Amino acid sequence: MTQDNDDYRGAGLEFPPAFVIGSATASYQIEGAVREDGRGPSIWDTFSHTPGATLNGDTGDVADDHYHRWESDLDLMADLGLHAYRFSIAWPRIQAEGRGAPNRAGLDFYSRLVDGLLARGISPTATLYHWDLPQALEDGGGWRNRDTALRFAEYAAIVGEALGDRVATWTTLNEPWCSAYLGYGSGVHAPGVRDGAAALTAVHHLNLAHGLALSALREVVSNTPAYSVTLNLQVVRGEGDTGPEAVRKIDGIANRVFLGPMLEGAYPQDVLDDTAAVTDWSFVRPGDLDLIRQPIDVLGVNYYFTNLVLLWDGSSSRQAADGHNPSAGSPWPGSEDVEFLPQPGPYTDMGWNIAPDGLEELLVSLSQRYPELPLMVTENGAAFPDRVVDGRVHDASRIDYLRRHLTAAHRAIARGVDLRGYYVWSLMDNFEWAYGYSKRFGIVRVDYETQERLVKDSGQWVHELATTRRIPE
Ligand code: FCB
């Protein structure tokens, strides 16, 4: 559908002068050093050490050893000419048990990182939560427990106090969809719970955590940062007569269940109706929606693939389309009658369909719904089975993927979307959650034996993109 469409290969197109080109990572995926300097265990430590939970039993114990190599990793980013870096802060480094006095050593690590970025002219975008919940909080119910949202606000205040004179953009949560539905619904992510009602409870407490953290940050920071949240909004297309109804359901449970409370101050009625058999939503307390709906300056959008759906008539075998683990339970409570159809290729190494037009569609539809809200692509990228040949990685497929998606972003801007920038996922190969180290997303290769970094051809390509703000050949 798209790979043959030259409309989506726009070498030479130029982005506006302030358009940000950055790279993204997440703490548990790169840092390692899980028992150092007072860090407590997170749900991903527990989960990855549970037999059968991750491919090959891989864990983030060492990962990219970024905790020790952060300085040379920052040099690498500077060499790549990146304008901004989106990293996440490990909550259990700041509060080992998710509550109480801050751990100075943990704060110091991120303080040095932020200083190191600024010294290199790279703008720091800090995400407060990219899935590594302190295990002690999970032991008390995790995101099923309202108290976790309150603890998150406390943590946000601590971090805001320490870094709130230097961080340029604050992001509360990364992809709460994954935290709620993969963590508590299908169980393919930590903490590995399979319970639709728990997933919806988690949705609400994550929404609440977002709102409370924004208020907490605003009270303590001393500079004038941008505030944001990053969502993995799903592009859902329908097939046949039942397509529109199936699209409505998935769009509701995946997208509007976050956008509604965060940006419009209400849960969509149709989502409440669809899920009525799963939960009565009594965990939503009076006043919560006012706490959740806080102004943001930019909405972060992570985009990888599209979905094709219809209502299931019981005649065919069902497909899981969350892209993370087809054999697990459903991450879609209240949508048990929706079937996900296989998509036309080409595909990445994750099995995700390559569809840059989906990115354009998503950005345009968001800007139509929220015309005043600037957008940022906070993740986009692709895993491919890279090979090192004569000391180089000629990852032409990844370059092609990036070129097509940046072209889609450029087309969205041409159609009037206020898109401020694009962060490639990822700076370097890393621990890809349940897939362990088997999937490589980096524009820099990591040799996990030696921890050597090797800039791939795609890294050179991004360097040219960042320095010229034009889409390279
Ligand atoms: C997103 C996650 C990120 C990475 C990419 C491939 O869902 O935010 O950590 O795993 O997918």
Side-chain angles (χ1 to χ4, degrees):
M1 130 178 88
T2 53
Q3 192 83 336
D4 300 329
N5 182 348
D6 273 339
D7 282 359
Y8 282 95
R9 291 185 82 257
L13 291 173
E14 193 166 353
F15 286 102
F19 194 78
V20 171
I21 299 292
S23 71
T25 64
S27 45
Y28 190 72
Q29 294 181 276
I30 64 166
E31 286 179 359
V34 293
R35 276 174 285 274
E36 269 176 63
D37 292 343
R39 179 187 180 279
S42 79
I43 55 174
W44 269 97
D45 295 283
T46 309
F47 187 73
S48 66
H49 281 271
T50 305
T54 66
L55 197 65
N56 304 318
D58 287 346
T59 74
D61 287 2
V62 177
D64 292 343
D65 195 32
H66 170 77
Y67 190 75
H68 300 118
R69 294 166 194 264
W70 62 273
E71 261 187 298
S72 46
D73 287 339
L74 294 194
D75 288 341
L76 199 53
M77 278 183 245
D79 290 346
L80 290 172
L82 297 172
H83 312 147
Y85 176 47
R86 174 176 178 257
F87 62 97
S88 81
I89 296 170
W91 186 351
R93 283 198 197 284
I94 309 302
Q95 293 174 299
E97 304 208 325
R99 63 178 77 237
N103 170 27
R104 196 70 247 169
L107 286 172
D108 286 349
F109 172 71
Y110 295 106
S111 188
R112 286 192 298 269
L113 187 77
V114 167
D115 284 343
L117 286 166
L118 293 173
R120 290 166 179 80
I122 303 169
S123 178
T125 288
T127 299
L128 288 174
Y129 186 72
H130 200 129
W131 309 352
D132 37 7
L133 186 74
Q135 179 62 42
L137 293 184
E138 181 55 35
D139 296 342
W143 290 111
R144 288 164 291 191
N145 183 349
R146 182 182 179 89
D147 184 59
T148 297
L150 309 182
R151 299 284 71 75
F152 186 67
E154 237 170 58
Y155 154 67
I158 291 170
V159 176
E161 191 88 56
L163 309 178
D165 52 344
R166 288 160 291 159
V167 164
T169 303
W170 290 100
T171 301
T172 53
L173 307 172
N174 174 74
E175 300 191 355
W177 184 90
C178 292
S179 302
Y181 297 117
L182 301 183
Y184 295 91
S186 67
V188 300
H189 277 189
V193 176
R194 292 167 162 241
D195 173 351
L200 293 171
T201 313
V203 163
H204 179 62
H205 293 147
L206 284 154
N207 280 330
L208 186 60
H210 158 79
L212 293 175
L214 283 179
S215 301
L217 283 173
R218 281 196 163 96
E219 274 186 29
V220 296
V221 306
S222 58
N223 63 354
T224 48
Y227 294 101
S228 70
V229 61
T230 280
L231 302 176
N232 57 320
L233 298 165
Q234 300 296 313
V235 175
V236 199
R237 293 159 175 173
E239 172 106 336
D241 293 349
T242 62
E245 174 63 0
V247 169
R248 182 194 62 71
K249 284 194 166 187
I250 298 304
D251 176 50
I253 199 79
N255 303 334
R256 290 182 288 112
V257 82
F258 298 107
L259 294 170
M262 287 180 181
L263 300 179
E264 301 172 32
Y267 281 104
Q269 188 57 47
D270 63 315
V271 174
L272 303 182
D273 295 343
D274 288 346
T275 55
V278 183
T279 175
D280 61 6
W281 291 79
S282 54
F283 42 77
V284 182
R285 299 208 187 146
D288 279 3
L289 287 156
D290 291 333
L291 296 172
I292 295 170
R293 185 197 197 176
Q294 299 296 325
I296 57 171
D297 303 298
V298 58
L299 176 64
V301 175
N302 290 356
Y303 174 80
Y304 290 96
F305 55 83
T306 61
N307 301 278
L308 186 61
V309 296
L310 45 66
L311 290 187
W312 188 42
D313 62 7
S315 64
S316 58
S317 69
R318 307 192 62 176
Q319 309 277 332
D322 67 81
H324 283 76
N325 183 346
S327 64
S330 170
W332 307 103
S335 309
E336 289 73 15
D337 56 345
V338 175
E339 179 170 10
F340 288 81
L341 297 174
Q343 307 254 2
Y347 309 99
T348 69
D349 199 26
M350 297 294 284
W352 295 346
N353 65 312
I354 301 176
D357 55 335
L359 176 60
E360 180 183 345
E361 182 181 320
L362 177 59
L363 295 172
V364 169
S365 70
L366 280 169
S367 100
Q368 282 166 352
R369 188 161 181 138
Y370 306 107
E372 305 303 322
L373 186 59
L375 304 176
M376 181 73 88
V377 174
T378 39
E379 281 182 32
N380 175 245
F384 287 108
D386 300 322
R387 284 189 313 136
V388 182
V389 180
D390 297 332
R392 301 278 302 275
V393 178
H394 299 302
D395 54 342
S397 312
R398 184 172 292 103
I399 291 176
D400 189 62
Y401 181 100
L402 297 178
R403 192 193 291 109
R404 289 174 189 280
H405 286 78
L406 280 148
T407 302
H410 196 279
R411 287 164 65 105
I413 295 173
R415 290 173 66 184
V417 173
D418 184 1
L419 179 66
R420 300 290 172 92
Y422 175 100
Y423 290 74
V424 63
W425 184 270
S426 178
L427 171 67
M428 51 191 172
D429 297 336
N430 57 47
F431 175 76
E432 179 46 36
W433 309 112
Y435 291 94
Y437 297 98
S438 68
K439 306 296 179 197
R440 292 180 178 271
F441 273 90
I443 55 171
V444 174
R445 181 180 176 87
V446 175
D447 178 330
Y448 296 114
E449 299 291 310
T450 63
Q451 290 295 342
E452 232 168 287
R453 276 67 164 146
L454 173 64
V455 176
K456 303 178 192 178
D457 286 0
S458 59
Q460 305 292 356
W461 189 90
V462 169
H463 173 257
E464 190 179 335
L465 169 74
T467 45
T468 64
R469 286 199 170 83
R470 275 177 201 275
I471 301 179
E473 255 317 311

